[in-house]
Amino acid sequence: MTESRFTFPQWTNLALPAAIVIGMTAPLYMAIVVAYGFSPQATDVGYMPEQPIPFSHQMHAGELGLDCRYCHNTVEYTQHAAIPPTETCMNCHAQIHPQSDKIQPLFESYETGMPIEWVRVHDLPQYSYFNHSAHVTRGVSCVSCHGRVDTMEVVYQHEPLSMGWCLECHRDPDPHIRNPDLVTQLEWGLDMSAAERLENSALWRTHNDLQPSEDCSTCHR
Amino acid sequence: MTNLIKQIIDDLLKPFLADFKEMPLWIKWGAVVMTSIAFMILAFVFRARSEGVYNDKPRIHFIQNMDNQPKFVSQEANAMFNDGRGMRPKVEGTVARNEMTGDTHFFMGIVDEAWATTFPDQITVDRPLLDRGQGRFNIFCSPCHGAGGFGDGVIHHRAQRLVETGVNGTTWVAPKNLHEDMIAAQPVGQIFNTITNGIRTMAAHGSQIPVADRWAIVAYIEALQLSQNADASTVPNADSLPRVDEGSNK
């Protein structure tokens, strides 16, 4: 009789304390993983795809000092900041480094008319509406949303581009506003103290009467 | 006090250790593995969030919702067409509605088959236009022609260095000094045309710069040229302004 009776081995006494410990840590653990691991800061920031041509912003925009608008020329008129066509590169590269291996895809594209397939870095979900001209012409610099592109060998995503991030600035744009003529000078303001910076942006904010909207229909239309 | 500690050890810790010893090995190992995995995930999350860590793998979007919709956005690829462009280029030989209205003065800088010598009606030459022109000139022309228009831009210097070292077959024709008599004498329409269609080794910049901005640049170049040939008689109320010693300037 007693032979066939199953008794839990002695170590199963540990099951209850173990269950309590796991039951208490697991939800906390899951919350941490989801909050930190699923956020755009982890999944999107730092995305640096390999481009078909090793084009360097550090060289062109930083060292050579080309203005962003020389290439991204639609950024002030339209929603979209155009990636430059091959012709824009050929303004210079028809003569500069024409035999470089890195430039050959440009010549190929120029001769065949096939576009260069740049890989998209920043990509908002398509149910949201973003507009470059609304920001750039009102004194929000590229650096607020793209980081110091003029020091990047290869462009990567510097900001999370989440809705919370958009709203953070729409609620308190003051640290980001400057003279609209200076939006492409990414290093502007770095040598100013925080107080000077705020004073300057307050000036431009009142001058241009900026009231960034928090209405859902601004960005979801 | 010591009694209490002894009692705790006897009553709690000892049976616990005894129980633990009895536990099958696979469960112990299982616990070790699970804990390590949990910490590895945390380390992975920490790494993904830290500065200076880049990733060229496509982004993970756990919940897709309507992130990507069956439509084409600006400059997206479309495999349906031979050239892969989602945005279709203009059909050859056609003109978009806002691009050409037969107004050759505004759009081409030509009046009666000759270069226009005046600005078109759509353009009022005033201070805002010159400011606009200055901004646009600094963006589009100064890399080669220099901020003062003397043909000494950054690209020019860099290219000359590349020519000297003979890297990758670089050749370079120096950008013109816009203060040369030959260019200063050109009518505005001709300079407009140079921007639009390029000239010899200078590429066309028409597709990069809207028409009105091209005229603003022309106006600014006229102002630049004037600035190099100015004397006191062209400055209103020159006598009332403070003077520096002759020859120290210019």
Side-chain angles (χ1 to χ4, degrees):
Chain A
M1 208 13 204
T2 41
E3 247 82 293
S4 67
R5 207 168 110 214
F6 176 79
T7 49
F8 279 103
Q10 199 191 351
W11 61 267
T12 49
N13 288 342
L14 291 177
L16 185 62
I20 292 175
V21 170
I22 293 174
M24 272 173 10
T25 50
L28 187 68
Y29 177 81
M30 283 317 289
I32 290 176
V33 167
V34 171
Y36 288 95
F38 287 25
S39 86
Q41 180 72 32
T43 55
D44 291 10
V45 172
Y47 177 52
M48 182 159 74
E50 197 184 329
Q51 301 289 350
I53 298 178
F55 173 78
S56 161
H57 280 78
Q58 193 270 328
M59 165 67 76
H60 289 85
E63 226 171 284
L64 298 172
L66 291 180
D67 194 286
C68 312
R69 292 165 290 185
Y70 188 89
C71 294
H72 304 293
N73 58 334
T74 66
V75 75
E76 285 177 314
Y77 323 116
T78 60
Q79 178 186 349
H80 180 73
I83 299 295
T86 307
E87 284 75 14
T88 303
C89 312
M90 291 302 275
N91 287 352
C92 294
H93 284 291
Q95 296 182 71
I96 294 174
H97 284 308
Q99 288 159 18
S100 164
D101 290 343
K102 299 179 193 163
I103 300 294
Q104 287 323 300
L106 273 182
F107 277 81
E108 227 164 79
S109 156
Y110 194 64
E111 272 148 29
T112 59
M114 295 293 283
I116 296 169
E117 294 177 14
W118 302 106
V119 183
R120 193 176 182 114
V121 185
H122 301 77
D123 199 2
L124 285 181
Q126 290 180 357
Y127 53 74
S128 57
Y129 171 81
F130 175 77
N131 191 325
H132 271 99
S133 65
H135 294 89
V136 173
T137 55
R138 294 183 183 123
V140 183
S141 165
C142 321
V143 74
S144 294
C145 308
H146 295 301
R148 284 298 299 276
V149 176
D150 59 339
T151 63
M152 296 179 193
E153 257 314 302
V154 183
V155 190
Y156 61 88
Q157 183 169 336
H158 188 269
E159 299 290 337
L161 305 189
S162 63
M163 174 164 149
W165 173 82
C166 303
L167 286 176
E168 205 176 295
C169 178
H170 276 219
R171 290 190 178 126
D172 177 26
D174 280 339
H176 299 280
I177 307 297
R178 58 173 75 175
N179 181 344
D181 288 343
L182 299 175
V183 288
T184 55
Q185 291 177 21
L186 307 191
E187 76 291 347
W188 182 88
L190 287 182
D191 53 352
M192 297 163 92
S193 73
E196 278 176 319
R197 185 75 185 73
L198 276 180
E199 202 178 311
N200 180 287
S201 46
L203 207 75
W204 283 104
R205 190 167 175 202
T206 30
H207 181 264
N208 288 334
D209 188 24
L210 298 184
Q211 305 292 343
S213 154
E214 289 169 44
D215 300 339
C216 314
S217 59
T218 310
C219 312
H220 303 291
R221 38 180 87 182
Chain B
M1 194 62 196
T2 40
N3 271 350
L4 185 68
I5 294 174
K6 197 164 170 294
Q7 206 174 354
I8 291 178
I9 292 177
D10 279 350
D11 288 0
L12 289 173
L13 207 59
K14 278 209 181 128
F16 180 79
L17 285 178
D19 289 350
F20 191 70
K21 240 186 227 151
E22 299 270 305
M23 194 189 261
L25 202 56
W26 67 268
I27 293 193
K28 288 183 192 163
W29 277 115
V32 169
V33 169
M34 294 298 279
T35 318
S36 331
I37 290 178
F39 277 103
M40 268 151 64
I41 292 175
L42 281 187
F44 184 72
V45 166
F46 181 76
R47 183 178 174 280
R49 292 176 65 87
S50 44
E51 294 255 339
V53 177
Y54 310 112
N55 193 345
D56 61 358
K57 306 287 177 303
R59 282 165 289 209
I60 316 156
H61 271 210
F62 297 101
I63 303 164
Q64 274 289 328
N65 284 349
M66 289 163 73
D67 282 9
N68 291 300
Q69 299 167 9
K71 67 178 181 188
F72 292 99
V73 295
S74 304
Q75 295 194 313
E76 195 170 311
N78 180 350
M80 212 165 77
F81 294 101
N82 266 341
D83 64 3
R85 285 183 177 88
M87 286 164 84
R88 302 311 304 152
K90 266 187 315 213
V91 175
E92 218 170 305
T94 59
V95 176
R97 261 175 61 185
N98 56 351
E99 274 178 6
M100 185 51 141
T101 56
D103 181 353
T104 58
H105 192 174
F106 184 57
F107 288 100
M108 299 166 83
I110 295 176
V111 175
D112 296 335
E113 317 256 306
W115 297 126
T117 52
T118 56
F119 285 87
D121 295 339
Q122 292 90 330
I123 304 291
T124 340
V125 182
D126 52 10
R127 187 61 200 244
L129 185 83
L130 288 178
D131 286 343
R132 178 81 186 161
Q134 178 174 28
R136 297 293 116 176
F137 182 89
N138 288 340
I139 295 170
F140 292 107
C141 315
S142 71
C144 293
H145 290 283
F150 294 101
D152 57 352
V154 181
I155 301 294
H156 170 61
H157 287 305
R158 179 67 68 125
Q160 273 193 324
R161 218 168 70 206
L162 292 176
V163 170
E164 276 161 23
T165 49
V167 183
N168 291 333
T170 298
T171 57
W172 186 249
V173 177
K176 282 274 192 283
N177 175 351
L178 302 181
H179 302 291
E180 270 177 23
D181 292 342
M182 187 268 285
I183 298 173
Q186 284 178 359
V188 289
Q190 188 173 358
I191 296 187
F192 178 86
N193 179 64
T194 302
I195 303 176
T196 311
N197 297 318
I199 187 159
R200 300 184 298 275
T201 43
M202 174 180 149
H205 282 66
S207 64
Q208 268 161 284
I209 316 174
V211 182
D213 282 347
R214 277 176 249 161
W215 283 109
I217 292 175
V218 174
Y220 180 68
I221 291 176
E222 296 284 298
L224 269 185
Q225 290 167 344
L226 196 64
S227 74
Q228 293 307 306
N229 299 309
D231 59 35
S233 67
T234 55
V235 182
N237 299 330
D239 292 336
S240 64
L241 295 171
R243 288 211 155 208
V244 248
D245 289 338
E246 286 292 329
S248 70
N249 225 331
K250 176 132 185 162

